Each structure stands twice: as C-alpha cells, then as structure tokens.
Amino acid sequence: MQLSEQPGGRRAAPGPGGFDPEVVRKDFPVFEHPVHEDKRLVYLDSAATAQKPRAVIERVVRFYETENANAHRGIYELGERATKAYEDARETCARFVNAATPRSIVFTRGTTESINLVRYAWGRANVHEGDEILVTEMEHHSNLVPWQMLCGETGATLRHLPIDERGLLRTDLLDGLVTERTRLVCVSHMSNVLGTINPVREVADAAHAVGALVLVDAAQSAPHLGVDVAALDCDFLAFSAHKLCGPTGAGVLYGRESVLEDMPPFHGGGEMIREVWSDRATYNEIPYRFEAGTMNIAQVVGMAAAIDYITALGLDAIRAHERELTAYALDAVASTGAEIYGPPTAEQRGGVVAFNLPEVHPHDLATIVDEDGVCIRAGHHCAQPLMRRLGVPATARASMYLYNTRDDVDALVASLEQAKGWFS
Ligand code: C6P
C-alpha cells in the first residue's frame, strides 16, 4: 500500500481495524480534481470501473520508462526485463486467486474475453448437440450471450437457474437443472446489479457430481471479496484488472491445469505455436497456447501492481468496510422512498445498490445527481434478462469501493432528495 503523506510529512492515522477510507482516498489522484468546476467528485460507479491509485499509475509509467520491450521475444536485457515483469505478474495473479500453478493463469483483455476464450477453445471441442449449459438468471451479458452463441452453433440447450424474490439463487432447484447432459455451469460470484454473493461452491459441487465443469464470473467479486479457486473448486474463473484498481485492457482467465492442457488454442498467431510449417502448426504449452500475438504487457504489469495494492490493504478489511458502508447506503437510499433491488442485508451482498425512485427515470436521475458531482450508473447494466425478471427496463445503481465514505452516500441521498423535489 502506498499510504499518503499528510501535509508536514506525517502519515494519516488509520481508522479502527487499520482501514481508513479517507487515507486510502488520498492514494487516488482523481479525487484531487473537482468536477463541474468546483464539485467534490463523488464516485459511486466502481462496479463499472474502479479508480486507479498512484501506485498503479506509477508502475505503468515505470514499465514504459525502464522496461518496455516485447515480452518473450527480445533476448537483450531490456527484453528480459519486460518478460520478467510480465511473468512476475502471472505469479502475482496465481497467488491472488490461490492457483496451484502460474500455468493456470492466462492473460486476456478482461472478463468478457476470458469467457469467450472458454466458449471458443473449450466449448467447440466439448459441447455437442443434446448437451446442456446452465447459466443463472442474474448473469451479465458477458456470461450469457457467449453461451447462447455456443448453443446456437452446436445444438446444445441453454438452461437457466432462477432467482427468488430477494434476488438469491434458487439453489434448491439445482438437482433438477443439473443433469447428466450438463457440460458446463456458468455462475456469477457476485451480481453487478443485485450485489448478491452466490454460493459458488454449492453450485460447483452439484456440477461436479454429474461430471460438468464450472465457470465463475468473478468480475465483481475479485475486487471486493477476493477469490480462492481451490475453495470454490471451480474449473474456470474470469476477472478484469480495471475493476480492481488496475488498467483497462487486462484480465485473467484461470483454468484448472488439467482442463487447460486438453484445450485447443483460441487465437492463432505469434507465440502460441511450437512449430509452424506452411500448411500446419503445433502449439505451445499452457498458458502461452492461449496468448497469441503481442499482449497488453504494460496493462498486465499494472494489474499486478493493483493486486499488490489491494492485497496490502487486505481483502478482508476492504470487505468489512464495504459491508458497513453498504448497510448504511441501503438504509439511506431506502429513506428516500426508493425501491431497492437485491438481498435485504449487507451480509448477502457486495457494495452495489440498484434502485429506482418512483416516477423518475433512472437516466434522468443519473443526469441530475451528476450536477452535484455524484457519479452513478443508470440503465440495464448489461443484464437485460435480469431487468425483465425484476419487471423494470432499467435501474439507477450506486456502487462502492475502498475509497468511498459515508460522506459519499450522504451526498447521493441529498442529491436524490433534491431530484425528488423536481419531479413532485
Ligand atoms: N460490468 C458494470 O457496470 P468487462 O467489461 O469484460 O471488464 O467485464 C464484463 C462483466 C462481466 N461480468 C460482470 C458481473 C460484470 O459486472 C462485468 C462488467 C460493468 O456492471 C460494465 S457493463
């Protein structure tokens, strides 16, 4: 962690439990810059993308200034520095998800690409007519549309695990929905709309009992809860750097080593090959078999710096802070008369609060609160089937992270109250 110096060179004192969001906030240069000329930035859209601490920005700059070359190409010293930074990042990611080996870590551009890699490389080889893929009713389009496409290509059937009225997964229905025809179960660890934290291990056990594999969309959980692929017992897990304070353009696909070993490549091109003839090629070992062409090296290095940053702060401390802030936000937003979607308690959800104010379109709401420097997202949040299940076309959504404080929630609520006044 890069603790910010206070004026006079003293470090700010940490709050109870050693975690103080006011101190953390100072690590993020974006908060030094007002919006709308003089408004304090109230950033409540971290589920879309997180802000970047100085440690990450400086690491990317240092890479470009002192290590920049292509990875796994140049045998000169600069090239070796780039390769080392890139491969060190793989080890950081392996430790972060508790993978047994860095060979299980494939770099991608983010969660969406990670899931599409599985769709193409694993799906085309393993999913056939008559097979079934099970997804949940709360999936982001990234963990839904690729499976619709794969089913369309192969003649497999897509099935859906419903949610209940509180936005919790109906795991009681797993027995009937996971059958000997099921090849893959795809589940989000934490919903980007409802915030629901799903019982992934229970889903994985049901899938494995019939020989199916499990893919976990950890886009929201990796930054806020941390993930442990051994404890989850998943076969694939995907996340993006940009939601955990890292750069855009980098992400990870974790794959169980034995599963990756048996998978054909995704993209064809440089570095993913062992030997090439004019009419055929043999392929590299894992994970390089899945990393064709020049990768986003600086972004991957920045992702490792982001992981170092959040792990130094402690995922448990981040989660405890977000749980406390979410409980506060659930009460505060409810006090405006808004309808809130998702589980009722902060224990069951991450720091995401999707809501609607009666009679106010969420897009209008987001535009109005922006005038006060408050950034929230409005829309379907790339989860249109879930919106239909909730019976709404769209919601507003406030999402919190390690740098948010009660002041941010208070600013949102004050702005919502003002917006209500305009529409009454
Ligand atoms: N959700 C949101 O505002 P990418 O874009 O590939 O980094 O992540 C896709 C993705 C996959 N799964 C979940 C659960 C997600 O939340 C996201 C991204 C953002 O909710 C942008 S739509």
Side-chain angles (χ1 to χ4, degrees), residues 45 47-48 110-113 140 142 188 190-192 217 219-220 240 242-243 377 381-382 397:
D45 198 19
T111 307
T112 304
E113 188 172 88
H140 185 280
S142 291
S188 164
M190 179 179 145
S191 162
N192 66 318
D217 175 349
Q220 296 295 340
S240 305
H242 71 98
K243 292 191 203 288
R377 189 173 166 192
H381 314 295
C382 303
R397 184 190 68 184

Side-chain angles (χ1 to χ4, degrees), residues 57-246:
I57 298 166
E58 287 175 355
R59 181 65 190 93
V60 174
V61 170
R62 181 155 65 85
F63 176 81
Y64 279 128
E65 286 184 351
T66 67
E67 296 156 305
N68 180 51
N70 210 326
H72 294 295
R73 268 75 164 180
I75 52 165
Y76 43 86
E77 192 199 322
L78 198 64
E80 281 170 6
R81 277 188 219 159
T83 302
K84 180 169 179 347
Y86 185 71
E87 290 305 322
D88 284 353
R90 199 184 306 276
E91 290 188 9
T92 300
C93 291
R95 274 195 304 277
F96 179 58
V97 302
N98 194 26
T101 163
R103 287 163 49 82
S104 278
I105 302 297
V106 179
F107 290 129
T108 64
R109 284 189 303 125
T111 307
T112 304
E113 188 172 88
S114 296
I115 295 173
N116 278 281
L117 194 163
V118 178
R119 169 204 162 189
Y120 279 101
W122 179 86
R124 286 181 161 186
N126 291 282
V127 176
H128 308 287
E129 193 171 350
D131 290 343
E132 292 181 359
I133 294 175
L134 181 65
V135 296
T136 86
E137 223 177 2
M138 67 172 85
E139 295 310 314
H140 185 280
H141 296 164
S142 291
N143 202 22
L144 173 62
V145 179
W147 308 122
Q148 294 172 344
M149 294 164 115
L150 181 66
C151 287
E153 279 166 19
T154 58
T157 302
L158 190 63
R159 306 196 75 185
H160 300 83
L161 182 63
I163 58 172
D164 68 15
E165 293 310 308
R166 292 161 301 165
L168 300 174
L169 265 193
R170 291 284 309 273
T171 48
D172 57 307
L173 299 178
L174 272 173
D175 269 355
L177 284 167
V178 178
T179 71
E180 72 287 349
R181 288 188 296 279
T182 312
R183 291 287 159 270
L184 182 69
V185 178
C186 304
V187 58
S188 164
H189 194 185
M190 179 179 145
S191 162
N192 66 318
V193 177
L194 305 168
T196 314
I197 298 167
N198 286 319
V200 167
R201 180 59 191 253
E202 192 184 339
V203 175
D205 287 348
H208 290 153
V210 298
L213 301 190
V214 174
L215 180 145
V216 179
D217 175 349
Q220 296 295 340
S221 61
H224 302 269
L225 313 174
V227 287
D228 180 334
V229 293
L232 297 175
D233 199 22
C234 55
D235 302 286
F236 299 110
L237 180 138
F239 67 88
S240 305
H242 71 98
K243 292 191 203 288
L244 47 74
C245 300

